[in-house]
Amino acid sequence: MDSLTQIVLGAACGEIALGKKIGNKALLFGAIGGTIPDLDVFIGGWLYGNEIDAMAFHRGFMHSILFSILGSFLFGWITFKLYDKGKREGTTTLKNWIWLFFLSIFTHPLLDSFTPYGTQLFLPFSDYRVAFNNISVVDPLYTLPFLLCLIVAMFYNRKRTRRRVWLKAGIYISSAYMMFTIGNKIYMDSVFKKSFDKADISYSRFSTQPTIMNNVLWYGIAETENDYKVGFYSLLDKKSELDTILTISKNRDLLDVNHKDIKVLTWFSNGYYNLVPMDSSKNIQYLDLRYPLLNPNNAETSMFRFELMKENNRWDMVPFSGKPPSKDDLKEFTKRFYGK
């Protein structure tokens, strides 16, 4: 999920591990631990000159279970050695710090696994991307109540019972909301499946996910032999079926889909993708169709797209330079949120 959410969750883990001993400093160290896995964005950019390689590196090994274990010992040991000096000597143990970093690092990829992006939890043994698709990468209803509870907890002495009460309140509220999104995902899957079946669509698979920053408006895509069928459904809709199903023809002829770089992108998008020619260059647009269209009525408004260029027999992504969404598309998106 987004950085703020991971900071909040990491801070809560720090409080669980060491809040009674070091107070608000536990929140700080937990927040740092919760941020560590996402440093792979910067490390990937430093390690790889190719943007496709760097993107594949994100949510890779540094988001794995193995890294959580190894990282907790490494960062726990370093922090203990730096902290356990002077007046602080003997106030904490190495075990405390290992536990703090394990909780804050491990909960990061675990939370990411509920989003559509996908997380390689089992590297280096498997590159399978775990993605339960039940919550958006940014969802204020998960983050803000949790954040508010932690802020209130900070104003209580580390030994006060109410500090723990507010911490637990943040964890319980965010966990209850997560459970709601899981139940909502099960319901949405049933709505989309019923709608695709009713439309007599012969699909091999389908996927659903919430649209950005909410769990009310959902997007679904079904794959057939020659095309994709996509649609939107809102919890505020009057009927429990899709009102419109759009068709996106598969386009695989613009480049060699067996090229290793394209295979990486195909793996990244779980096979839900399309290729579109650029108007004024030999570059190709790669549309990741897992993610919702911006305009629910326009199949050409895919939000997650890359411009690909070929250099020295390798495909690479052009730095983003696209124009912002049009007001009309945003208007249609908002309108669809409130149901039909």
Side-chain angles (χ1 to χ4, degrees), residues 146-217:
F146 202 171
L147 174 61
L148 179 61
C149 288
L150 285 190
I151 290 175
V152 174
M154 289 173 59
F155 288 94
Y156 288 97
N157 184 277
R158 60 188 171 87
K159 296 182 179 180
R160 290 286 302 275
T161 302
R162 286 196 175 184
R163 184 181 177 99
R164 304 296 284 186
V165 169
W166 280 101
L167 170 67
K168 290 180 180 179
I171 294 174
Y172 292 160
I173 292 171
S174 60
S175 298
Y177 181 71
M178 183 64 75
M179 292 302 296
F180 160 75
T181 67
I182 293 173
N184 201 23
K185 162 71 173 173
I186 295 172
Y187 170 67
M188 288 296 176
D189 280 351
S190 69
V191 170
F192 278 89
K193 183 179 187 305
K194 181 177 72 173
S195 299
F196 290 142
D197 290 344
K198 185 177 180 180
D200 198 25
I201 297 172
S202 179
Y203 58 89
S204 57
R205 59 177 181 153
F206 76 94
S207 175
T208 65
Q209 65 162 287
T211 56
I212 192 70
M213 297 184 71
N214 76 97
N215 212 259
V216 175
L217 180 60

Side-chain angles (χ1 to χ4, degrees), residues 108-153:
H108 180 126
L110 191 63
L111 181 60
D112 278 345
S113 297
F114 291 101
T115 70
Y117 192 95
T119 308
Q120 298 174 73
L121 282 178
F122 307 114
L123 278 179
F125 310 106
S126 170
D127 64 357
Y128 176 73
R129 297 171 65 85
V130 181
F132 297 115
N133 291 19
N134 58 283
I135 192 168
S136 172
V137 292
V138 181
D139 193 324
L141 287 183
Y142 178 88
T143 308
L144 295 182
F146 202 171
L147 174 61
L148 179 61
C149 288
L150 285 190
I151 290 175
V152 174

Side-chain angles (χ1 to χ4, degrees), residues 8-21 23 26-27 30 96 99-100 103-104 107 146 150 163-164 167-168 171:
V8 171
L9 181 59
C13 292
E15 177 66 22
I16 291 171
L18 270 174
K20 286 185 177 181
K21 289 189 174 183
L27 295 169
N96 292 149
W99 182 234
L100 181 149
L103 287 178
S104 58
T107 54
F146 202 171
L150 285 190
R163 184 181 177 99
R164 304 296 284 186
L167 170 67
K168 290 180 180 179
I171 294 174

Side-chain angles (χ1 to χ4, degrees), residues 233-258:
Y233 182 76
S234 171
L235 279 177
L236 303 178
D237 282 356
K238 295 178 181 178
K239 296 182 179 180
S240 58
E241 62 182 54
L242 306 184
D243 67 308
T244 303
I245 298 177
L246 302 177
T247 298
I248 301 177
S249 298
K250 285 183 180 178
N251 191 343
R252 300 289 189 270
D253 300 328
L254 296 178
L255 48 74
D256 179 11
V257 296
N258 292 313

Side-chain angles (χ1 to χ4, degrees), residues 309-325:
M309 61 180 180
K310 195 170 186 180
E311 291 183 346
N312 300 322
N313 201 36
R314 287 215 62 185
W315 287 97
D316 200 355
M317 294 191 298
V318 177
F320 178 76
S321 60
K323 60 182 180 181

